[in-house]
Amino acid sequence: MMKDMFHENRSKYGFDETIERLEEIVSSKGWRITYTHDMQETMTKNGYSVLPVKVVELCNPAYASRILSDDTLRIYSNMMPCRISVYEKSDGHTYISRMNNGAMAGMIGGVVKEVMSGAYQDAEAFVAELSE
């Protein structure tokens, strides 16, 4: 079950170009990047050395508002924003990973399932444009 909750694809681009293209794709599809965590930088500041990894937080206001505007659904706000990680591995290739929010939301049902499944499908389309 856990392997179905997380997906990883190899990018057809290098690390920096994958990040740049992801930002362009996300923006062109009406999504917003709310924040990008540079985990390599954070680790370096704390005395650790890791290969490049950035966690990109994405938001689609039309999706998010459906959950955030309903008090009974706000408990699920901890599944937001959606995240896509881009990282290098020791094999020299760049990879893209994300959680299957659609599967998680399927256990909840209703509006949460509709919203998170839609967000997941959008994210899969973003990744598909970058994958080998």
Side-chain angles (χ1 to χ4, degrees):
M1 168 114 174
M2 285 306 283
K3 70 177 183 166
D4 296 330
M5 291 301 297
F6 297 91
H7 299 280
E8 178 183 71
N9 295 71
R10 192 162 102 176
S11 178
K12 56 187 169 185
Y13 307 105
F15 181 80
D16 290 331
E17 188 171 359
T18 299
I19 292 290
E20 289 170 18
R21 288 180 181 258
L22 177 61
E23 291 170 349
E24 291 167 4
I25 292 166
V26 166
S27 178
S28 73
K29 305 294 184 186
W31 283 67
R32 305 288 176 264
I33 294 177
T34 58
Y35 194 78
T36 300
H37 300 271
D38 185 335
M39 300 306 295
Q40 182 185 40
E41 180 180 293
T42 300
M43 294 297 103
T44 299
K45 287 179 182 177
N46 287 282
Y48 297 94
S49 178
V50 298
L51 292 170
V53 58
K54 289 188 178 183
V55 179
V56 181
E57 293 186 346
L58 314 172
C59 179
N60 179 312
Y63 285 143
S65 66
R66 293 187 63 202
I67 291 174
L68 298 176
S69 63
D70 183 332
D71 281 348
T72 63
L73 300 179
R74 291 172 69 96
I75 190 171
Y76 303 110
S77 61
N78 57 17
M79 292 176 29
M80 304 166 147
C82 297
R83 292 178 171 202
I84 296 177
S85 293
V86 177
Y87 47 88
E88 283 184 5
K89 288 187 177 182
S90 57
D91 66 6
H93 295 285
T94 298
Y95 294 83
I96 307 159
S97 70
R98 62 262 173 231
M99 190 170 97
N100 184 343
N101 289 336
M104 175 69 75
M107 294 184 264
I108 300 166
V111 171
V112 174
K113 179 181 177 182
E114 289 175 29
V115 168
M116 297 310 289
S117 293
Y120 172 72
Q121 292 303 319
D122 287 358
E124 287 300 287
F126 304 156
V127 172
E129 290 189 45
L130 302 167
S131 300
E132 290 187 331

